[in-house]
Amino acid sequence: MKTLLTHKYALVMRQPVQWGDMDASGRCGPATLFRLFESARLAYFERLIAPRLSSEVHSGFIRGRGVGRILRSASLEMAESEEGRECGVRYPDSLWLGARTVSLSGDRFDQEYCAVSERDQRIVAFGRATIVTFDHVKNAKAPVPDEVVQAMLAVEKTPVTQLH
């Protein structure tokens, strides 16, 4: 299943499930998966995008000093098993997380996420997020910096839709 992620997602990372990640029903629920997708989103920027940016754009976009990014919306869908139940992740296990940018448009971009259970070898959740860019100095919306757009296009393994 990790191979599925490596063909479609720019970022692939392994995250061990911690005992404290489980909810009262003994599984990793949506709240945990939202947090793990957040970790994948941050890793995407830190590991893949940041090294391709000039120090000025890096300071703004990665560190929020100038034109940076803000999470506008996020959604999560738990995958279902063949029996029609949610695929629950239980300790001990590790999740393979994938993150990719799927579309860019002016002052925003959309990303998709996927979580795969290493133990069960199946997808357990999908996520989607819209991230907007904001100029923290001018306190106003701003377009995605061209350097960031070029970095995203360079790291992606699947085509990114560019809307104008």
Side-chain angles (χ1 to χ4, degrees), residues 15-85:
Q15 179 66 46
V17 173
Q18 304 297 313
W19 180 261
D21 290 338
M22 293 185 299
D23 60 19
S25 67
R27 64 181 178 85
C28 292
T32 298
L33 287 158
F34 260 117
R35 186 175 45 76
L36 293 175
F37 285 157
E38 176 185 44
S39 295
R41 181 170 43 258
L42 295 173
Y44 176 93
F45 292 114
E46 290 289 341
R47 296 180 191 176
L48 300 180
I49 303 304
R52 292 174 161 77
L53 302 179
S54 66
S55 59
E56 180 183 339
V57 174
H58 179 278
S59 176
F61 198 75
I62 303 299
R63 299 288 170 232
R65 299 181 191 114
V67 176
R69 63 200 190 284
I70 298 174
L71 180 65
R72 180 181 182 271
S73 63
S75 63
L76 178 112
E77 181 181 338
M78 300 293 287
E80 290 186 354
S81 68
E82 293 171 3
E83 301 83 34
R85 291 177 287 164

